[in-house]
Amino acid sequence: MAIDALAASSASAITITGLGYRYPKADRNVLGGLQLQVPVGQHVALIGRSGCGKSTLLSLIAGLHQPTTGAISVLGHDDPAGRLACCAIMPQGDSLLPWLNLLDNVAIGLRNRGVQRQPARARAHATLNQWGLADWEQERPAALSGGMRQRAALARALLADKPILLADEPLGALDAITRAEIQQWLRATIIGSSATLIMVTHDVDEALLLSHRVVLLAEPAPGEPVSTAASWSGWFADDRPRELLLGDPAFATVRRQILESFAGSGAGPANPGEGR
Amino acid sequence: MSWYLRRKVLPPAVTVLLILAAWIAVTANGLVPDYVIPAPRAVLESLIATWPTRLASATWLTFSETVIGVLLGVAVAVVVVIISGYLPVIGSAMTPLLIASQAIPVIVIGPLLTIALGYGMAPKVIVVALLCFFPVALNLLAGIRSVDARLIDTLRSLHATRHGLFWRVRLPYAAPRGFAGLRVSVTFAPVAAVFAEYTGSTDGIGYLMLQAIPRMQTDFVFAQVIVLTVMSAVLLATVIGLERLVCPWNKPTEGTITL
């Protein structure tokens, strides 16, 4: 179904116009008037201060919330159910089911779709094997490291075969070294996936390394309703290893520009490099 | 001595021995008349003497009532939880009823059930089931409702249906909580059976107690209390073993009493 819609629409995967959301209980507006267009297959990294509505934006795209103002179209679908049908969510933190082993966790999207146990496991096994996790596929998540669990969560999301992947700080729970390893691994892995990726992160390096485009969501200043979204080109398409990119002066320049914009994007001290 | 023996076995063993010593001291010196607190030796002798003739068959009857009652209570609890999982309105509608069922004292229900159903097993089984139902149902209901909303959203984006979410996520998530309720239930289930026997019976531990107390056969009463204690312990150990089998991913919560 989603694939038909893909062909029918133009090359735009996500079209957001004049988007605003008011938290029902907090009496607070975010994303005032956001405009964003994401072409099919593009990776977009969303950065911004805590509370500027990054995670809310993912929920809105996925159809879990309805916008207060403006409109979202995901592969031609404006309705919440249609949007949810196009998106796979990879949430912050640990979301594997603790009572299932790795294999059944990764296969759950296929099982939910009605695929029989054996073929579903076979596909999950193929992915785990390719990603070097096959030796642990009979273990429950509690027996695995944080990095393994995040890789399994990504495998689970990709095996749902959705055209759009929404990741909310997918590496936020990892220590710095594991995080660096997974960043490099992700660059090599998701290059083969045709999915459109929207990723929320607090880490500017990560945003640049894993995306085609980095979008800064600015918190609206008091009395100013519209947030401005600045954006830069990401370095995902550059296939040099992570360490080389981090050492490239051009990379460092973009990084500095983003951090400066970040500092000017709202009140309070800028602390964009923090883990969460 | 291993860590397990030193930390897990030794302290309770010492406690039991100290209580036993105090018991012997109090009874041996004649500080308390033996019809109030009999000597441990008298209790043991009473247990051995009455076991083949009366106590064994009474124990078996009370144990059967307890087990059938627990199974019935758990079955009803699971059915109620499944219904309210599919129809949350029914779950909300039934919550006051669940609480009301616990507010009616067993002291009232017991005799009424005996009037209605006679001196057989049925009223005892129902009293046990009523008491066991509540902690299990309440814990399971709390469990299926407290699954993290973000996890539910994530799985909905991975094609999960309402049906799939209930059986693959909510129910497994709630299972360890249901077992926590069941641990509470089985601990007092034998006492519930004994109480139901008080209200009208022709056999069982409750019946024997009612016979023994007016005759001041305190040693026999104490022997029955020991049997009941062992029964509770066996049931609790069975439930804990079952929990490890059914929910092997679940680590016992800090502070939980385990055997």
Side-chain angles (χ1 to χ4, degrees), chain A residues 56-223:
Chain A
T56 306
L57 179 56
L58 293 191
S59 298
L60 286 163
I61 293 171
L64 301 169
H65 300 307
Q66 271 299 75
T68 316
T69 56
I72 302 175
S73 172
V74 177
L75 295 167
H77 297 273
D78 302 326
D79 58 309
R83 299 207 301 271
L84 184 61
C86 298
C87 300
I89 299 172
M90 189 179 167
Q92 211 170 345
D94 216 341
S95 65
L96 298 178
L97 300 176
W99 50 87
L100 296 182
N101 63 27
L102 209 55
L103 192 62
D104 288 330
N105 259 301
V106 171
I108 198 163
L110 295 164
R111 294 284 290 134
N112 283 338
R113 270 158 73 195
V115 177
Q116 291 298 308
R117 190 184 297 265
Q118 286 318 316
R121 281 184 172 168
R123 273 198 65 190
H125 170 78
T127 304
L128 289 172
N129 195 33
Q130 202 181 336
W131 292 7
L133 290 169
D135 289 348
W136 290 275
E137 65 181 23
Q138 298 301 327
E139 302 284 346
R140 292 199 184 86
L144 304 164
S145 72
M148 288 175 175
R149 288 203 292 265
Q150 287 312 92
R151 276 186 284 167
L154 181 71
R156 180 180 70 172
L158 290 179
L159 277 185
D161 288 331
K162 297 285 189 92
I164 291 169
L165 179 60
L166 304 172
D168 190 354
E169 289 192 57
L171 312 183
L174 304 179
D175 62 89
I177 293 170
T178 311
R179 196 168 177 151
E181 284 169 7
I182 302 281
Q183 282 169 2
Q184 177 56 39
W185 172 83
L186 264 175
R187 281 173 61 78
T189 306
I190 54 179
I191 201 140
S193 161
S194 59
T196 306
L197 170 70
I198 313 286
M199 179 180 70
V200 167
T201 177
H202 272 102
D203 186 323
V204 175
D205 288 341
E206 187 168 293
L208 284 167
L209 286 167
L210 296 177
S211 75
H212 298 107
R213 181 151 66 115
V214 179
V215 174
L216 173 66
L217 293 182
E219 201 175 350

Side-chain angles (χ1 to χ4, degrees), chain B residues 54-78:
Chain B
R54 290 181 291 165
L55 195 52
S57 64
T59 301
W60 176 245
L61 180 65
T62 304
F63 183 71
S64 306
E65 292 162 356
T66 306
V67 170
I68 297 171
V70 168
L71 292 177
L72 181 66
V74 169
V76 175
V78 170

Side-chain angles (χ1 to χ4, degrees), chain B residues 30-249:
Chain B
L31 289 173
V32 182
D34 59 0
Y35 60 84
V36 177
I37 301 180
R41 191 192 167 86
V43 173
L44 193 66
E45 282 170 356
S46 171
L47 182 67
I48 293 166
T50 56
W51 183 259
T53 54
R54 290 181 291 165
L55 195 52
S57 64
T59 301
W60 176 245
L61 180 65
T62 304
F63 183 71
S64 306
E65 292 162 356
T66 306
V67 170
I68 297 171
V70 168
L71 292 177
L72 181 66
V74 169
V76 175
V78 170
V79 169
V80 165
V81 168
I82 290 174
I83 291 172
S84 58
Y86 278 91
L87 299 164
V89 181
I90 293 194
S92 315
M94 274 179 1
T95 308
L97 205 69
L98 297 187
I99 294 164
S101 79
Q102 295 305 296
I104 305 169
V106 184
I107 292 174
V108 176
I109 291 182
L112 288 176
L113 285 172
T114 305
I115 292 169
L117 301 168
Y119 280 27
M121 271 177 89
K124 288 86 181 174
V125 166
I126 292 173
V127 165
V128 174
L130 268 174
L131 278 167
C132 287
F133 163 79
F134 192 63
V136 177
L138 214 61
N139 274 290
L140 278 177
L141 277 177
I144 63 165
R145 285 173 190 164
S146 62
V147 181
D148 183 18
R150 278 194 312 185
L151 180 62
I152 296 288
D153 287 343
T154 302
L155 291 164
R156 279 178 65 206
S157 84
L158 304 176
H159 305 284
T161 56
R162 198 179 166 73
H163 176 77
L165 281 175
F166 182 77
W167 291 99
R168 296 211 185 97
V169 183
R170 293 191 189 274
L171 216 51
Y173 183 85
R177 290 179 178 223
F179 271 105
L182 188 56
R183 285 205 295 258
V184 175
S185 289
V186 297
T187 312
F188 59 66
V191 179
V194 165
F195 172 78
E197 286 168 354
Y198 270 22
T199 65
S201 58
T202 51
D203 198 0
I205 291 181
Y207 172 79
L208 291 185
M209 276 196 184
L210 273 189
Q211 304 286 307
I213 290 167
R215 297 187 178 113
M216 291 204 259
Q217 294 168 342
T218 332
D219 50 353
F220 187 34
V221 175
F222 270 60
Q224 293 170 55
V225 171
I226 289 173
V227 169
L228 281 177
T229 310
V230 171
M231 202 186 285
S232 282
V234 167
L235 287 170
L236 184 60
T238 308
V239 168
I240 289 170
L242 205 63
E243 184 178 351
R244 286 192 185 140
L245 208 67
V246 176
C247 314
W249 69 88

